[in-house]
Amino acid sequence: MHRCFLQSFSVFCAHHTHVHLRARAPVNLGSGLGTDRMAARSTSGRTFSTTTTAPFIRKMLGNTISRSIRLAPKPPVARTDKDSTHEAIWHGRPRIDEYAWMQRPQSGHELAEYLRQETQYARNAMKGSARLQRQIAAEMRQATEVHTMPPPVETESGGFVYYVRQNAGGSTVYCRRPANARSEQVLVDGEQLARRDGYELRTLLVSDDHDCFACLAAPLHDSHKALSESSSLLVYSLGISGEVKLVETLENVFNFAFGPRNTVFYTVLDEKLRAHRVMGHRIGRPQTEDAVVFDEPDAECFVDITRTKDKRYHIVNSSTLDSSELRVFRSDCDFWQTQSCGPSHCGQIRLIRRRQKNVEYFIDHHSGEFVILTNCPKDPSSFDSVVEPLPFRLLRAPTEQPEAKDWTELLSVSDSERIEDVEVFEKHIVVSVKRQGLPAVVVYNRPLDSRAELRLPYNGNCTVRPEPSPRYNASTIRLSFSSPVHLESVAEYNLDTLDMCNSWSATPLHIDSGDFVVRQVRVPHGDVVVPMTLIHPEAAYWSQNA
């Protein structure tokens, strides 16, 4: 609206005074024109202030702004739940949330209608700036120079190489090719799946024998299902000659994981949109014959099903916002032969550690033992009250005795370090930590029982995000970096030598990142020390030290 107004005003002035106005500062619609200054340049190059122009121009200026304010659409106002406010204690202080109703499942349709009104308001308010939006987007694209882009991560398994690429329309395409050939087989094209079958692709996994794959997809035509987060599980067979055929469709699926011998385990939602049950399914059999693997009666818990990276165990995670409770079962368990044994399935599902408020833990399986990332008390078997969440630690437990009393420390960190992420490989465990506000990546070599750190770019003055690596026997890992002189950088490290073997970067604003220095300084403020990241030309840095 500002831009359209300035354009109209420029045309008016050009017709009457033969000058062209340009904004020296944006017009503040909320404070009137008393303090706003604009500069005008005549055809001879002379500049003058609008405060010296004719009074009728200033009057026209104010009338136009007032009229624009009157005609502007009014934003929707979300209702406040004043009668039943939600109060919570955060960092020892009470916080009242009058909009807690938005998180309740029964308010889904009301929330959807409010979001629709907000979207419509935004479109109406920005209607006159469509051209300006396109111009700004084009300028941002031109100002971002992408040097190189990393190739897609390829996963070799079962004699095939799996990868993801983009088609001409920007849609995601899942593909594979034989490990010793270049002939490509398209598994799923997201654009075709939406146009032909009416589904939006969410997740794709391949079976252990590589004879079939399954897609978690949301029906595009069913707005209620899209709102409830419930999806359909589309199971496809893969023929020897490359044909892809839809075998069956499972309904009301939230998440899933393949098992051996053409089995799949999945979670389902209840009427409150809570994933509460894990089911086991045999591909090709009716869904009515599916086995109940686990059922969570606690309405506060959310259930998920995952699989360890070595594919030996499945993990059932029953979590809340501040706690978790995990169970494991061997991936080769046959739940269909144990239906008569009751919900415990003859002890095939094992509880790792019972729930404790403010305590979370996550597990994977590696070298005959469970690797556990947890913020439990120093004594894992202690269930004393935990008032505030503790720092995370990396522990281990024997496969046959995974209970908390048998947990021991696997990798220790200092008091000034915080573990943020763990990635397990066949020979290595990669641990991402924060050390006094700066990132560090520790590689623990299991066969050698040794640890070392990766050398990070920008002297570590950056953010680090490990890229997911589905290959258990991978010898490299990709890390994503961002810093003030790079929009996004990706580096690939060899886990055996710890050397960076590939790197890709995008540099904004056509600058040479080598001309700048990024460093962290720690500024004392009262009783605390505040970390700050500085960027400046390298010449200024050296002249300062001279």
Side-chain angles (χ1 to χ4, degrees):
M1 182 173 66
H2 300 183
R3 187 172 181 272
C4 295
F5 164 72
L6 291 176
Q7 285 181 334
S8 302
F9 185 58
S10 300
V11 172
F12 177 87
C13 293
H15 177 72
H16 291 278
T17 62
H18 304 288
V19 298
H20 175 68
L21 287 181
R22 60 179 181 178
R24 177 175 293 174
V27 179
N28 186 346
L29 298 182
S31 59
L33 297 175
T35 60
D36 293 324
R37 304 282 294 178
M38 304 183 72
R41 184 175 298 275
S42 68
T43 54
S44 61
R46 182 172 56 91
T47 61
F48 57 92
S49 170
T50 53
T51 55
T52 62
T53 58
F56 77 91
I57 295 181
R58 296 198 302 273
K59 182 178 180 181
M60 183 274 295
L61 204 62
N63 291 340
T64 304
I65 295 176
S66 300
R67 185 163 57 253
S68 299
I69 295 175
R70 289 196 305 270
L71 297 178
K74 295 183 178 180
V77 179
R79 71 173 177 88
T80 55
D81 201 355
K82 296 181 179 179
D83 297 331
S84 57
T85 55
H86 176 77
E87 182 173 338
I89 304 298
W90 290 90
H91 305 290
R93 298 182 180 181
R95 177 182 180 272
I96 298 178
D97 186 4
E98 297 179 344
Y99 301 96
W101 63 269
M102 294 184 175
Q103 302 182 42
R104 300 176 189 139
Q106 59 268 29
S107 304
H109 293 288
E110 181 182 0
L111 177 61
E113 174 59 23
Y114 171 73
L115 294 177
R116 187 198 64 79
Q117 294 178 11
E118 271 199 344
T119 302
Q120 188 60 43
Y121 163 74
R123 289 173 179 171
N124 293 337
M126 302 295 292
K127 187 182 301 181
S129 64
R131 181 180 175 185
L132 177 60
Q133 294 180 51
R134 291 194 297 270
Q135 179 182 347
I136 293 176
E139 291 176 355
M140 292 180 66
R141 285 193 298 269
Q142 293 175 2
T144 304
E145 180 183 353
V146 179
H147 293 309
T148 55
M149 291 298 293
V153 176
E154 296 184 343
T155 301
E156 184 174 348
S157 180
F160 295 93
V161 176
Y162 294 88
Y163 56 96
V164 180
R165 62 174 175 82
Q166 305 292 321
N167 63 12
S171 179
T172 301
V173 182
Y174 290 83
C175 309
R176 78 173 183 179
R177 59 175 173 81
N180 56 356
R182 304 301 301 177
S183 57
E184 179 182 85
Q185 180 183 14
V186 175
L187 305 183
V188 173
D189 186 322
E191 184 177 1
Q192 293 183 6
L193 185 68
R195 184 173 60 249
R196 181 188 59 207
D197 303 322
Y199 284 101
E200 179 186 9
L201 181 62
R202 291 183 174 176
T203 307
L204 184 146
L205 294 176
V206 181
S207 64
D208 291 3
D209 56 13
H210 302 270
D211 290 338
C212 66
F213 67 92
C215 297
L216 197 63
L220 293 173
H221 62 275
D222 194 335
S223 59
H224 178 69
K225 274 195 173 182
L227 178 65
S228 69
E229 297 185 356
S230 177
S231 302
S232 300
L233 188 63
L234 312 178
V235 182
Y236 294 86
S237 64
L238 288 166
I240 299 178
S241 58
E243 65 272 12
V244 177
K245 181 181 178 181
L246 179 64
V247 176
E248 59 184 353
T249 302
L250 306 182
E251 299 296 343
N252 191 32
V253 177
F254 182 79
N255 196 18
F256 76 103
F258 268 109
R261 300 188 300 274
N262 288 331
T263 59
V264 63
F265 298 95
Y266 63 94
T267 56
V268 297
L269 300 174
D270 60 11
E271 66 278 0
K272 295 183 178 180
L273 311 181
R274 176 182 68 97
H276 69 112
R277 182 178 297 152
V278 178
M279 305 292 294
H281 175 75
R282 292 175 291 182
I283 296 174
R285 304 291 295 179
Q287 194 171 0
T288 54
E289 297 181 5
D290 291 356
V292 178
V293 176
F294 175 76
D295 198 0
E296 176 58 76
D298 191 342
E300 298 295 324
C301 299
F302 192 91
V303 175
D304 195 17
I305 180 72
T306 57
R307 197 176 186 184
T308 59
K309 206 167 181 178
D310 62 3
K311 297 187 177 181
R312 294 179 180 269
Y313 289 87
H314 279 77
I315 305 169
V316 178
N317 186 350
S318 176
S319 62
T320 65
L321 292 176
D322 58 3
S323 69
S324 58
E325 185 176 85
L326 274 60
R327 292 168 172 83
V328 297
F329 61 88
R330 291 188 63 89
S331 293
D332 57 2
C333 281
D334 191 343
F335 291 95
W336 295 268
Q337 293 183 2
T338 58
Q339 284 294 298
S340 60
C341 297
S344 64
H345 299 290
C346 300
Q348 292 190 82
I349 300 181
R350 304 184 61 177
L351 175 65
I352 302 297
R353 188 183 192 273
R354 63 182 174 88
R355 190 182 313 281
Q356 182 179 11
K357 185 176 176 58
N358 288 326
V359 173
E360 299 177 274
Y361 63 101
F362 312 91
I363 67 173
D364 209 323
H365 190 258
H366 186 273
S367 299
E369 60 186 12
F370 288 108
V371 177
I372 306 164
L373 178 64
T374 179
N375 63 343
C376 70
K378 188 174 183 179
D379 179 8
S381 60
S382 171
F383 284 86
D384 295 338
S385 177
V386 177
V387 180
E388 292 289 339
L390 301 171
F392 278 88
R393 298 180 294 150
L394 193 61
L395 309 178
R396 73 173 98 191
T399 299
E400 302 304 323
Q401 295 176 315
E403 293 77 15
K405 63 182 180 61
D406 297 305
W407 292 5
T408 57
E409 192 169 59
L410 174 61
L411 187 72
S412 62
V413 295
S414 65
D415 294 339
S416 62
E417 296 177 330
R418 295 292 181 267
I419 298 179
E420 294 193 325
D421 186 70
V422 175
E423 185 79 18
V424 173
F425 297 90
E426 187 176 23
K427 297 192 302 180
H428 304 86
I429 298 178
V430 180
V431 183
S432 301
V433 302
K434 273 290 183 65
R435 181 182 299 136
Q436 296 182 344
L438 292 178
V441 179
V442 178
V443 178
Y444 177 51
N445 190 312
R446 291 300 300 270
L448 300 179
D449 191 23
S450 62
R451 56 185 289 177
E453 288 190 22
L454 298 179
R455 185 174 181 179
L456 304 181
Y458 324 127
N459 295 322
N461 292 290
C462 56
T463 60
V464 180
R465 185 182 71 253
E467 297 285 338
S469 180
R471 282 186 58 192
Y472 180 63
N473 61 346
S475 59
T476 61
I477 186 174
R478 283 188 180 184
L479 304 177
S480 293
F481 305 95
S482 61
S483 79
V485 295
H486 286 86
L487 291 179
E488 187 79 10
S489 303
V490 179
E492 194 169 67
Y493 288 85
N494 186 301
L495 294 176
D496 292 319
T497 65
L498 305 181
D499 294 330
M500 183 187 298
C501 47
N502 285 300
S503 64
W504 306 268
S505 63
T507 304
L509 305 177
H510 299 277
I511 64 175
D512 185 351
S513 59
D515 294 339
F516 293 86
V517 173
V518 181
R519 59 193 178 102
Q520 187 189 66
V521 296
R522 305 180 68 81
V523 181
H525 179 72
D527 297 332
V528 299
V529 178
V530 181
M532 296 181 62
T533 300
L534 301 182
I535 174 175
H536 51 78
E538 186 176 21
Y541 179 74
W542 288 115
S543 63
Q544 179 182 347
N545 287 328

